[in-house]
Every structure is written in structure tokens, then in C-alpha cells.
Amino acid sequence: MNFESLRAFFIHLRFICEKELLATFKDKTARQLLLAPVLLQGLLFGYGATYNLDQVPFAVLDMSHTKESTSLIAHIDGTTAFSRVKTLYSTNEIAGAMDSEDVMVVIVIPSDFESKLAHNEQAPVQLITDGCNTMTAGLVASYIGRITAAWNAENIGTPPIELITRTWFNPNQTTRWAFLPGLIGMISFTQVIMLAGLSIAKEKEQGTFDQLLVAPFSQLEILVGKALPPMLIGMFQSTVLFLLALFWFEIPFSGSVLLLYLTLFIFVLSSTGIGLTISAISNSMQQVLVYVFVLLLPLSLLSGIATPIHNMPEALQIFTYADPLRFATDALRRIYLEGAGLKNIYHDFIPMLCVAAITLPFAGWLFRNKTT
Amino acid sequence: MNDFSGFSRRLRALVYKEFLQLIRDNSSLLLGIALPLVLILLIGYGISLDVKNVPTAVVLEDPSPTAQDSVSFLTGSDYFNPRYVTSMKEAEILMEQRKADVILRIPPDFTEKLEHGEAKIQAILYGVETTTSMTVQGYLETGLASWLEARQGSTHGAVIVTRMWFNDANTSSWFFVPGLIMLIMTIVGVFLTAVVMAREWERGTFESLFVTPVQAAELILAKMIPYFCVAMAGMLLCLVAGHYLYGVPLRGSIILILAVSMLFLIVALGIGLVISALTKNQFNACQLALLVTFMPSVMISGFLFDMHSQPIVIQAVGQLFPTTYYLILLKSLFLSGNNFPLIIKNSLILVVYAVLFLGLAFHITRKRVEE
Amino acid sequence: MNAQTDYIVKTENLTKVFPQKDGTSVTALAPLNIEVKKGVLSALIGPDGSGKTTLMRLMAGLMLPTEGRLTVLGKNVAEEPQAVQNELSYMPQKFGLYEDLSVEENMNLYADLHGIPQDIRPERFERLLNMTGLSPFTKRLAGKLSGGMKQKLGLACTLVRSPSLLLLDEPTVGVDPLSRRELWEILKSLVASDPISIFVNTSYMDEAEMCADVFVMNRGRVLMEGTPADIRALAKNLCFSVEPPETVPTRVLQSLLLDDSEHIIDAVPDGGRVHFITRGAEQSPVLDNFSLTAEAVPERLEDGFMLLMHKDLKENPDLSAPAVQSRDDKILKEQKRITSDAGLPVDIEVKNLVRKFGDFTAVANTSFSVHQGEIFGLLGPNGAGKTTTFRMLCGLLPATSGYLNVAGVDLSVSRTKAREKLGYVAQKFSLYGNLSVLENLRFFGGAYGLSGETLKKRINEVIDEFSLHGRENDAAESLPGGYKQRLSMAAALMHKPKILFLDEPTSGIDPLARRQFWRQITDLSAHGTTIIITTHFMEEAEYCDRIMIQDQGRLFAIGSPEGIRDELGLKHAPMNEVFITIVENGRKEEHK
């Protein structure tokens, strides 16, 4: 008897999943919408999301006109991080250069530069950065500072202290390395919540949900049947991004593939729970879309993918525990770049599993009891 | 029969209807008012690109007072949150447990070597969070340099004196607020408009309206006016919050800020109308709106990431989106003032987009029900 | 009358072709040449997909003709759509009410758009609201109105001004007989009092009967134009009526007659008798078998219409229509009338059923039982509580109180178990549109525990039974209306359920397809399937063994159609009349 009911359960499950997958993939546009944007966004974000300096346009005002000043400028010109677009001749031109959009930094070398150097004094070099873009401005200042320090060491003599820096897991501090593994989670997050969210609302709007409720499916069967397809699609999209990161952007993978997929599984499970809950409380597809939108933006911002979590106020950090994307981002990055093992990241699983354990049964309960 | 009085009467009736629907359907207000509020609070108080309180593990292998003094800049600073450990191993464990983002190691021979001017300090950065690691490196160098300066009276050589051109406070909420306004305007203007317009097509409410004296242009204008108001309300909300809560300066003229925002809003509404007229279906309208406006405006308009650092191709793609020009205008008007050549140039581009999209919307919205 | 003013719409070789995605094209209107008379009510009747709505939309300037000329109100619509739209009012099939606006706000919107001056509004609105019976609900949101009330509000919005031409596209689909009658009273009084022409597309023959002029359309062509009397006259001397023997259900005799296509063109139950059209003088052997003699009766509009349809089908065979099947009618012949003392097992038992939504009582204290193999009809005006009752029986909605036993299972104990034994066909087509016929059948078969070879075999059986051949791999949503209906039935019957629930399965379906549908139901019931059905076509109550009439949540009458008729002393009266009498009597009593 028990075996029979188990068998019936799996037969039911098979048919629900088969139907869900067919209904999703039958439509050509839907198929395209599931693959193309993922690739497109992967490439766009991969190339676009960068804090690494590359060809930052700058202008120079050299009022010293000495061998020393020319040599310092040559050092800056020599890096690929900066590209000189203008040479200024008087201080009056600075404002104009900064106001035009194509100069981000102006380097001013005062006329007494050489004489101060000769007298063993500090010779200030003024750096004017564009404050509209604080992130870049800060990076520019620190980078030019490093170039100057190197120039000092070469021309004036090594300073008494040398800072030897080494960056673990990402030796060149490439933003993309940090960003793409996080993206593996974020892009499938959007799609999974959206798909799971629409799955029931769509059936309600098309009237097929009654048909499903009248069939002898149990609550659990409908729940699992509705949850599996978005999960599979989410895992598939994550795989696409993973391959993109690995082979297109050539970011070395240091972790275990098995652990990566375990993390992804737990992550899409919790995202599906959120999506299905949204679906069960909404009456129309439009409502789902609005709720998804209103949730997705804050959840993405709070995930730490673009800004570090520990910069957030304590109260907000507590709130991020409900955000599966936060923990997925952390775990994925660490598995990918650090090669972290289960013992290092298992604590990331707990909040995600809690979210799943609350949302999934809640959604299942809502299907039966709130759909009249 | 006066043509204009008919026009204004019908328009008034339709606009009234839109407002009633807007008020009764809370989802529009949720997107138009609640979401901007949540985001501005999150961005102002919550997320920040500024790197502060970086957990730092300090390994003092040289117990001398000089060595201790050399890293004293960590303790007083907002930027670091130092934790002194006794061995490199301990520090590495801290890093592995994600309790440290930086390891700073002062070797045993530090004081001795310092005498000879050959001292070395080792810094190990956590590269998984690149923004932090890049910034921290600069902080460390500056910190050590100023310690040296204080110790030796003065150093010689070239030093960098940095001046921020517009954003003296150097906080990222200043940087985010213009971007947020752009985001709200895009969501309400494009996304919401596309979905509500597509809903009328989908529910067949247009069919009944079409067979009245209503002109297509009146239908379009009647959809634009209420959502124009919602978006402007969202924008003013962000503006006031940004200015009074976070002290974001308004160096340019407020009139100009409002003017360019209205201009951009017309572009956004135009895009929304075009999308809805093309898809006539809520789900596809939403997907398309998401794909052509939302993602690009977040990723490649310069909202989060500086365009100059992106590859030429991506920059070129970014140049295609009107959001990019609006963001340039907003940032400049907020943080630098009335820079007329820049304002005129970008506004003109937006005007071209407005004419293009509105024209297209008027052209393809016909009083017909053919599929 | 001069030639210029006697028509309001004129089509000259009007053609409309829809290009399809796959490169082919569908001709919705073949060259059409008609004139719609001015100042009268004209009706357009014809089966699903015959191009009626397309013609309406062309007239309203919502579509452009592919070829030909269309003159409405003396203007070429293709050239001056706005000028024409300024003078006509059009009510689409599904009137686009704004559900989040109130009744009054919807009406005001249309009044504003049409430029009705404020000073004449109160008087006009009052008249419209009284006519439509919406006066008590002016502040209610349109989305909260019942289906029939929405339709009436749509009409009120369409009539905020007096147009020269009023176009109505199936204004009474899903509207109960009472509301239908009120709606037509409005139309008739309008034509009488105002200089207005009305052109109505309808699938109700009794409505077409009230029009001065009728156009019969099929597959993009007008088969005939004439007064209802002209069309009726086609069936002159061919119509007969016969009373079935005491023990034989009306529908059984009707089915047997219908199957005898050699002698009989059409047969339909009517007022406890069977009304049929013969091909000629020769009597059907079916009547001989029962030793019955038919009496000649006056022909009706529907008879003329059916004759036209059959003639057209014969001249232009429709390849997409299913072939008539030879059936084993032995079981059918043996079927007896079901009476409560027949000792048949009870399949559904309802005692003191109550359902409340907040303060509102949707179903009040209702008890009844349904026997195995019975066809049980739920009738009632819009908002009577029949949908609520229906949903509770299917287990879609829990009851507030009362006892509910379906297929031997107490629904309050185990709903999943009861669900295995029932099949369900929803009101509107609700299978998975983008899945193919086979995939849908596979899914529903699987849902009821079929798999492997059993599933394959059963799929083939239902494909045969419901003539779905050749369409197995087509997406369900791309099927024509009749196919969709049969697919829904096939899916619901995959597991051979004991009980079949049908929620308004025939709404919006033409008479031809309805005959086929009921033929199948008759067969199912003969094989022992219990059938619960709701419908707005009162004449369909004649197919049922017993019916139940509800209004405002209360049970007004229950019994066999004959029994109910006898009780009211309305022997052989049409069901429509019976229904209206019962509901009106019931409401009067309620008032006291």
C-alpha cells in the first residue's frame, strides 16, 4: 500500500513536471527569452561591471617644465590605466577641462616643483578628480599615488618603509573576477522568481488552475511539480553563466563543482519558494510582476554583489538574512575564487534553507486554501 | 462644433479615468511611490560604496614601540577595524573565516631595518571583494606615509595632493542619488506605462473606446499625463530626500533639473508606449521593458560603474540609451552647477529621442483591433 | 422612401483575409454584398467563426477591408473611420468596462467622450439605469457586478447617447433569460421611439425572431437574408412533433431520431416532446419501433436556420467537421427514465448545504441528491448561486456548513479521493493552450493515474470517440471552437469518471455543435455516467432528467422538466417561459 502510494506520487510528479516543462519550452519566444538574455547580460555585465581603471582620460598642466616634471608625467602616460586627452597651459583652463565630459582627472605640477625637490622638500603635485564619480575618483587618487611613489623611489631614493602588497584569490584585483561568480546567482535569481511567480498566476488567469485542482493531485504533488521546472531552468541558466565565466572570461575556478551545484540547488530552492509565495498571493500576472519588481531591486542591492555587506548599518544587515541572494553570492564567490570547502561555507546554507522551509510550505498551503 | 473643446473635454474625461484607476489599483502607486522611498532610504542609509571599518588582522612580529606606533593609524581611523593577533597562522585563519579582509604583517626586523631605510611591511588583501581590496591598498599607503611624515618631520619627494572637483564630501550617496532618480523615472516611465497600456489592449477595453469620437492622440496623452505625474512625484521625493537627508547639493538650477527630468520623462513614456503598442500583451511588454531599459540603465549608463572604464563596444552600446544622457545631465546639475554647453548638448540628444519615440508611438497606435 | 435612405450599411464585394504566421491565409469574409435596412432591428446569425464579429468590426472601422467597399451611414468606412465612429455606437462581444471604476464613473466616462451635455445627463442616466435595473448599484465597482449586470452596464454605456446606428456583438452571451428579456425590451423600445437602426449579432434564435430582418451567415458568406417569416418558411410542412412513451427519456428518442439522418434533418427536445424536421414524406423507422405517430407542427426560425446550415454543409463539405459516427444504439434504446423510486444508487448527496462569503449568503440551505446515470441541470439567473454550488460539488470550494457526499466520499473528509472519480469541464476553454492535443490528453490521463500502455490505449480511444483525428499535434489554442469543446470533453473523460461536471459547456456554441455535444452526453449517460451541468440555454433543460432552479442562493424548484411544468400548469410550454415564471413567482414570494 505504501509502495503503491509512493509509486502514484512519482507518476503524478512525472506528469506535472512534463507538462510544466512542455508548457514553458513549447513557445519559441519563451525559449529564446530563457537563454538569450542570460548570455547577453553575462557578457554585458562581464565587460561592463568594472572598477578597474582603463584608459581614464586625464589632462596635464605642467607649469614646471623641467626634466623632473616631464619624467613624472611620462610615468603616468606609460600606464594603460590612464590616457592623456588634453594638455593645458594655464590654470584658467582647468575649470573648462573638468566641465567638459571627456576629462576625468587633471594633474597640475606647480612651477616650483623642481626647486622644492632640489631642496629636499615636499614637492606637491595637485590632482583634481571628478567628484561626480566618487568610486573612480578614489581609485584614481590611489593609483596615481602609487605611480608617484614608484617614481620617487627611482629618482629620489627608496623611502624608509616599503609596503609589499599581495592580493589573495585575485592577484590583479580584477573586478570582473569578483563580479561574475556573484552574477551566476543573481541572474538566475531574477528568472527563477519571475518564472515561479508567474507559474500559478498564469494558470489562474487562463482558467487552467481549477482544472488542476479538480484532478486528484495532492498539495505536495502540485507544489513539487510547480517548483521543479523553475529550479531546473535556474540551474541551467547558472550553468550557462558558469561556463561563460570559465571559458569566455577565463576566470580560473578553484573550487569543487559538486559544492557549487549544491549551493546553487539550495539557492534556487529558496528563490522558488519566494516566487511561488508571490504567485499564490497574487490574482493576476500584473500583480506578480509588480511584486517581483518591488522585491527584486532591494534584494539585489542588499545582496552585497555591488557593495560590501559590512558597510551596511547593523539593522539592515539583520534584514539581509532574509535575502537568499546575499548568501548565495558569498558562497558562490568563495567556492569559485577561494576554492572554499563545505566547512567554510555551510553557514551560508542555513539562512537559505530557512527561507525555503518557510516559503515553500506556506505557498503550498496558500494554493489550496486561498484560491477560491 | 469646436474641435478644441471636444479635444480638451475628452482628454479631461480620460485623464480623470486614469487617475481613478491609478488610485484604486495600488500596484501603480507601489511602484511609483513606495519603491522610490524604499530605495532612497536603502541607498542613503544602507548600501555604500565607501569602504569603511575594514576588518584588519595585524601581526606584530616586532614588539618594539616603533613598530607598534607605525600601525597606530589603524586604531584611530574610520577606515579600519584592527585586530591584533600573534601569528601569521592565526591571521590567515581569520581571513579564511571572513573575519579579516586585510592582513598587515610587521616583520621582526622592522625597527632594525627602518634605521637603514629598508623597512618592509607586508599586506595581504582579500581579492574576492575587489572594491575593498583596491581601496584599502591606497588607505594603507597613505596611512604609512603620514606616519613617516609625522616621525621624520617631513619627507622629500613628490607628493600627491588630491582635490575632488565637485563632490567634496566624497560620499557615495551623493553619487547614487542622481542615479536613483534616473532609475525611478525609467521604471515608472517605461515599465509601468508599457504594462498599463498593454493591459488595455489585453483586456479589450480599447475596442469599446475606439468606437467613440476619441482620437488616438487623446488616448496616448491621457495615458501619459497621470504617469508623468507619478514619475515626477517619485523624482521630487528622491530630490527632497537626497537634499535634506543626505545633503546632496543642488549646485545647478532646480528649474533646469526639473526641465531635463520632464524631457527625459517624455522619452521614457514614449518608449513605454512604443513597447506596449508593439507587444499588446502584459507579459511580453514587461520582459521587453526589462531587457531594453532596466538592465542597461543599471549596468551601462554609469549608474553603478563608470563608463570610461568599460570597453569601447560596451560604451558604444551605452551611448544608445537615453538614460546615459539623462544621468550625465543630472550628475552635472546636482554636483557641479549650470554647465551650459554640456546641458545643451545632452538635452538636444534627449529632444531627438523624445521626438523619435513619441512620433513612433503616435504612428503605431492606431484605432484598430487587427492583430 | 427613396433609394438613398432605405439602407444604413451597404457592402460591395467586401472581403477580409487574415494572413497567418505560416504564410497561408484565412478568408474570414468572402465577397459579401448586403444592405442593412434603416430604422429597424436586424439580426446576424450563424455558427462560430462564420465571420460575424469580423463584419461588425469592419463596420465599426476597427479593421480595414482587404477588398471591396463598405458604406456605413453614407460614408466609406475605410476612408473616414472617425466620421462614422462619431455617429455609431458599438458594443463589442466583451465590453471593455473599467473594472476598477464604478457603474456611474463608467457611464460618465462614455458620456464625456461623446460630449453629452451635463444638463441632460441626469434624466438620460436615470432612464438607462432604470431600463437596465442598475439603479441600486451606481456606486458599485464594475468588477464586482455579475456577468449579466456587466453586460447590461456595457449596453448602458453604449447608449449614453442616441446613435444613428447601434452595433451589438453577441450582447447576451452568458446572460440569463430574465436579463435577456429586459435587454431586448430596451432594444425594441429604442427602435420604436428613436430614429435608430440596430444591427445585432446573436446565437439565440428567439432573439432573431424579434428582428425585422435576419442575415444568416456561414463561413464568411451570407446564406440568406429575409424576415424571420421568410427563413421559417424554408421548413414549411417539414416539421413534426412527437411525444415519447412514458418510460423513454425525451433525449433518447431525440438522439435516435437525430441518428436517422436518412429521414431526419434535425431533432430537438421541446416542451417534453421531440420536435424534428423530416427530409420527405417517408416516416422514420424510429417512430415505427416505438409505434408512435408524429403530428405536424408549425415551423420555427431555428428549423429554417438548421435547414440552411445542412444545405450549406452538403454543398460545401467542411473537411474540419467530424464525420457522423455510427453508434451502437442498443444500450441507448434500453435506457429508461430515471425516477427517484427506481432504486438506482445515489452518486451525489447534498444536505443543508450553505456557503457564505462574509455576510453574503451565496447558497442557502440547499438539499438534493443525484442518481447514477442521471443528467442533472443547474439553472438560475446570473448571481443565483449555481456556480458556487457547482464549485462546492467539484471540491473547488469548501462549504460553510452542510453535508456533501460525492461518489460515496464525504467531501469534508477527503477531497482528493473524490476527485479521482469525477471529470470537470470548465466554463471557458481551460486546457493548456500551447500544448498539443496529445500532450494535453497525456497530462490529464497521467493526472488520473494512467500510464504506459494503458494511457496510450485510452488516448487512442478518446481520439476516436471525439473525432480528434488529424489534429493530434496541433496546439490546443489553435483549434476551432468545436474542436476545443470536444478536446475539453475528451480530457475530462480520460479516466472514465463516474461523475462528469459541465459548467456552461455550450455557451457561445452554435446550434449544430450543440446537437453534437448533447448527442455525446446522451450516450455517456446511457452508459451510466452521472452528469451535472449548468446552462443558460433553457431549452437544454429538456435534455435533463431533473433540473434545479436557484435564485439568490435559494432553491426555487427541483424535479423533472415535465413535473415542474405540470406543477405550474404550463404543459408543453417552452422552458424559457417556465424558468421566468418560476423565478418571478419566487421573487414575489420572497418579497412578501
Side-chain angles (χ1 to χ4, degrees), chain A residues 56-103:
Chain A
V56 174
F58 75 103
V60 169
L61 172 58
D62 181 2
M63 295 190 289
S64 164
H65 293 294
T66 52
K67 191 170 101 292
E68 280 75 15
S69 65
T70 321
S71 148
L72 178 61
I73 294 167
H75 260 74
I76 298 170
D77 277 336
T79 67
T80 54
F82 298 95
S83 118
R84 177 152 30 140
V85 292
K86 240 184 203 151
T87 307
L88 309 178
Y89 298 100
S90 88
T91 41
N92 301 332
E93 290 174 76
I94 296 176
M98 284 309 290
D99 282 346
S100 82
E101 296 153 61
D102 26 72
V103 171

Side-chain angles (χ1 to χ4, degrees), chain B residues 57-309:
Chain B
V58 185
V59 190
L60 266 182
E61 289 174 354
D62 180 355
S64 76
T66 323
Q68 279 183 24
D69 194 42
S70 73
V71 291
S72 61
F73 70 91
L74 295 172
T75 316
S77 134
D78 280 348
Y79 299 115
F80 297 95
N81 188 5
R83 179 162 167 181
Y84 293 88
V85 294
T86 49
S87 72
M88 203 52 195
K89 186 144 179 54
E90 208 178 321
E92 281 173 18
I93 288 171
L94 277 179
M95 172 99 81
E96 201 168 272
Q97 291 175 340
R98 302 290 306 105
K99 285 178 183 154
D101 278 355
V102 188
I103 300 174
L104 204 60
R105 175 171 170 258
I106 319 293
D109 53 2
F110 176 76
T111 321
E112 189 186 324
K113 288 243 173 108
L114 189 64
E115 304 294 316
H116 303 96
E118 290 167 358
K120 287 190 167 73
I121 291 182
Q122 192 188 13
I124 293 170
L125 306 175
Y126 182 65
V128 176
E129 284 193 16
T130 34
T131 36
T132 311
S133 68
M134 283 190 286
T135 320
V136 162
Q137 193 172 345
Y139 290 167
L140 287 176
E141 276 162 9
T142 321
L144 281 175
S146 46
W147 173 72
L148 263 185
E149 192 186 322
R151 187 180 138 92
Q152 301 183 341
S154 92
T155 46
H156 55 283
V159 290
I160 297 294
V161 184
T162 307
R163 212 183 111 207
M164 284 272 183
W165 188 243
F166 310 121
N167 187 354
D168 299 321
N170 189 13
T171 62
S172 54
S173 48
W174 285 25
F175 165 74
F176 273 132
V177 169
L180 186 66
I181 291 178
M182 182 270 298
L183 200 62
I184 300 297
M185 302 282 261
T186 314
I187 291 175
V188 177
V190 181
F191 183 78
L192 201 54
T193 317
V195 171
V196 271
M197 191 83 168
R199 182 168 57 177
E200 296 241 20
W201 286 106
E202 207 175 281
R203 291 197 182 166
T205 38
F206 269 161
E207 195 174 343
S208 323
L209 280 187
F210 281 172
V211 192
T212 65
V214 162
Q215 317 271 339
E218 292 161 11
L219 287 175
I220 293 178
L221 281 178
K223 273 278 177 265
M224 287 178 71
I225 292 167
Y227 292 97
F228 187 89
C229 295
V230 173
M232 285 310 282
M235 140 155 209
L236 285 174
L237 217 62
C238 294
L239 194 99
V240 170
H243 189 62
Y244 290 102
L245 291 180
Y246 313 131
V248 177
L250 290 170
R251 298 212 169 103
S253 134
I254 182 104
I255 308 277
L256 275 175
I257 292 182
L258 292 179
V260 299
S261 298
M262 289 180 184
L263 182 61
F264 173 72
L265 202 47
I266 292 173
V267 179
L269 290 166
I271 298 176
L273 291 169
V274 169
I275 289 178
S276 64
L278 284 179
T279 55
K280 296 183 182 169
N281 159 310
Q282 291 183 65
F283 180 65
N284 289 346
C286 164
Q287 287 277 1
L288 199 60
L290 211 64
L291 196 69
V292 303
T293 61
F294 183 63
M295 290 302 172
S297 56
V298 175
M299 297 311 302
I300 53 178
S301 65
F303 169 49
L304 272 181
F305 304 101
D306 186 39
M307 285 184 75
H308 293 289
S309 310

Side-chain angles (χ1 to χ4, degrees), chain A residues 311-348:
Chain A
N311 286 1
M312 297 176 192
E314 290 288 326
L316 211 60
Q317 288 195 30
I318 292 169
F319 187 72
T320 62
Y321 276 88
D323 183 358
L325 188 57
R326 175 198 157 168
F327 298 97
T329 306
D330 183 66
L332 289 172
R333 273 181 179 169
R334 298 193 60 195
I335 294 167
Y336 197 113
L337 297 173
E338 274 181 51
L342 186 60
K343 71 173 167 46
N344 294 323
I345 54 155
Y346 74 94
H347 56 87
D348 280 333

Side-chain angles (χ1 to χ4, degrees), chain A residues 10-328:
Chain A
F10 280 110
I11 289 180
H12 274 161
L13 210 58
R14 193 185 102 206
F15 282 105
I16 296 193
C17 291
E18 187 183 290
K19 182 224 81 180
E20 289 289 329
L21 288 172
L22 269 174
T24 315
F25 287 115
K26 211 66 210 256
D27 190 22
K28 198 172 150 220
T29 338
R31 277 201 305 269
Q32 289 164 346
L33 278 175
L34 288 177
L35 183 63
V38 175
L39 274 178
L40 214 70
Q41 286 172 32
L43 288 172
L44 208 64
F45 285 41
Y47 283 116
T50 176
Y51 290 125
N52 295 113
L53 301 177
D54 186 32
Q55 307 289 327
V56 174
F58 75 103
V60 169
L61 172 58
D62 181 2
M63 295 190 289
S64 164
H65 293 294
T66 52
K67 191 170 101 292
E68 280 75 15
S69 65
T70 321
S71 148
L72 178 61
I73 294 167
H75 260 74
I76 298 170
D77 277 336
T79 67
T80 54
F82 298 95
S83 118
R84 177 152 30 140
V85 292
K86 240 184 203 151
T87 307
L88 309 178
Y89 298 100
S90 88
T91 41
N92 301 332
E93 290 174 76
I94 296 176
M98 284 309 290
D99 282 346
S100 82
E101 296 153 61
D102 26 72
V103 171
M104 282 200 71
V105 190
V106 177
I107 297 166
V108 183
I109 302 183
S111 47
D112 57 359
F113 182 68
E114 195 264 354
S115 68
K116 285 206 170 158
L117 281 180
H119 290 91
N120 266 352
E121 284 173 42
Q122 273 197 352
V125 172
Q126 202 182 23
L127 190 68
I128 303 169
T129 57
D130 183 354
C132 291
N133 213 327
T134 43
M135 192 70 210
T136 314
L139 293 173
V140 163
S142 112
Y143 202 90
I144 298 227
R146 248 175 282 157
I147 295 174
T148 317
W151 182 82
N152 278 343
E154 240 172 68
N155 294 281
I156 296 162
T158 337
I161 302 182
E162 195 186 348
L163 185 72
I164 304 164
T165 314
R166 207 148 52 91
T167 310
W168 280 4
F169 315 124
N170 183 0
N172 297 321
Q173 301 189 341
T174 318
T175 324
R176 182 183 301 148
W177 283 35
F179 208 76
L180 270 171
L183 214 58
I184 295 179
M186 190 166 122
I187 286 190
S188 58
F189 187 62
T190 319
Q191 286 286 343
V192 168
I193 289 204
M194 191 94 115
L195 277 174
L198 288 175
S199 72
I200 291 172
K202 200 168 163 189
E203 293 222 25
K204 274 191 212 164
E205 217 157 90
Q206 296 176 345
T208 49
F209 198 55
D210 277 357
Q211 203 73 256
L212 203 64
L213 288 181
V214 165
F217 290 123
S218 71
Q219 195 171 308
L220 185 67
E221 286 160 1
I222 297 185
L223 184 69
V224 178
K226 282 275 163 204
L228 271 182
M231 287 178 65
L232 280 177
I233 292 167
M235 302 282 275
F236 165 75
Q237 291 184 331
S238 300
T239 308
V240 170
L241 272 163
F242 175 52
L243 295 176
L244 198 71
L246 195 59
F247 294 111
W248 181 266
F249 290 110
E250 295 178 337
I251 304 170
F253 180 67
S254 349
S256 127
V257 178
L258 204 67
L259 189 59
L260 186 84
Y261 274 92
L262 177 68
T263 313
L264 280 176
F265 176 79
I266 294 171
F267 169 58
V268 292
L269 186 72
S270 57
S271 322
T272 305
I274 296 179
L276 288 178
T277 306
I278 293 179
S279 204
I281 58 171
S282 314
N283 291 316
S284 67
M285 284 161 72
Q286 194 205 340
Q287 239 175 344
V288 172
L289 295 177
V290 169
Y291 289 155
V292 167
F293 225 100
V294 169
L295 262 183
L296 216 53
L297 270 174
L299 287 187
S300 309
L301 282 176
L302 288 178
S303 70
I305 195 162
T307 60
I309 300 274
H310 56 71
N311 286 1
M312 297 176 192
E314 290 288 326
L316 211 60
Q317 288 195 30
I318 292 169
F319 187 72
T320 62
Y321 276 88
D323 183 358
L325 188 57
R326 175 198 157 168
F327 298 97

